[in-house]
Amino acid sequence: MRRAGPGARMAAPANTAQTADAARTPETAGTAAASPAAVREPLRTEFEFELPRGFVDESGTVHRNGAMRLATARDELIPLRDVRVRENPAYLSVVLLGRVITRLGTLGSVHDGTVENMFASDLAFLQDFYRQINAEGHTRAAVACPRCEESFEVELAGSRLGES
């Protein structure tokens, strides 16, 4: 195999767009845009959920339905500077969830104090939900029926325990 030296001229690479256009016939032109692989879903940045128990505010109102947005790198870095997180690393999820929950029932705002006063089962649900949307980018899970072994997807967000 020969290598080109510093002064040697090399052939320019073919323009792949022009090559692909030339190879297309009138019958195949435009099929790439129509294929299912070429169609992409728009990026979802906010996901709705329903808490298993619900957050009870000071007036006794129960708030179950809410929304969480995708976390940014900043969302995950800023809580590391929080004194409460430095003293107790388990507090990280409380501060982080307070930043990414955008809506909860009729509450005017959601913050780490809100998350701090949630039931443990709701906190565990939100931690799992956070991991699901930020790692997978969706709230669907592939499952199989234990009886007939048929595969299908279930929506994890918005469904309460025991419901489908």
Side-chain angles (χ1 to χ4, degrees):
M1 178 174 186
R2 291 181 71 186
R3 290 162 105 180
R9 289 184 63 192
M10 296 182 64
N15 183 339
T16 54
Q18 288 175 346
T19 306
D21 286 342
R24 257 187 238 166
T25 63
E27 295 82 27
T28 62
T31 56
S35 72
V39 177
R40 297 187 97 177
E41 288 185 30
L43 176 64
R44 284 184 61 192
T45 59
E46 192 169 79
F47 299 82
E48 296 200 353
F49 61 82
E50 184 175 347
L51 294 174
R53 297 211 188 277
F55 173 74
V56 182
D57 66 17
E58 27 329 298
S59 67
T61 304
V62 179
H63 305 274
R64 285 194 178 92
N65 297 314
M68 182 184 296
R69 66 174 173 79
L70 292 176
T72 64
R74 183 178 183 89
D75 290 322
E76 294 196 348
L77 293 172
I78 285 179
L80 298 176
R81 295 187 293 204
D82 191 301
V83 175
R84 298 166 296 180
V85 173
R86 287 185 183 179
E87 290 175 1
N88 181 2
Y91 206 77
L92 174 64
S93 66
V94 171
V95 177
L96 184 55
L97 289 170
R99 293 181 60 85
V100 298
I101 296 172
T102 57
R103 180 176 44 80
L104 183 58
T106 58
L107 295 175
S109 66
V110 180
H111 47 80
D112 51 8
T114 309
V115 178
E116 192 175 45
N117 289 303
M118 289 183 173
F119 294 113
S121 58
D122 289 336
L123 178 61
F125 169 84
L126 290 170
Q127 289 169 330
D128 289 342
F129 190 72
Y130 175 91
R131 277 190 288 275
Q132 183 72 26
I133 68 171
N134 284 286
E136 303 295 325
H138 58 78
T139 56
R140 297 178 309 276
V143 295
C145 174
R147 182 172 290 171
C148 68
E149 297 181 1
E150 182 178 340
S151 296
F152 58 97
E153 283 188 347
V154 293
E155 179 68 30
L156 299 176
S159 62
R160 298 187 55 201
L161 297 175
E163 295 179 354
S164 56

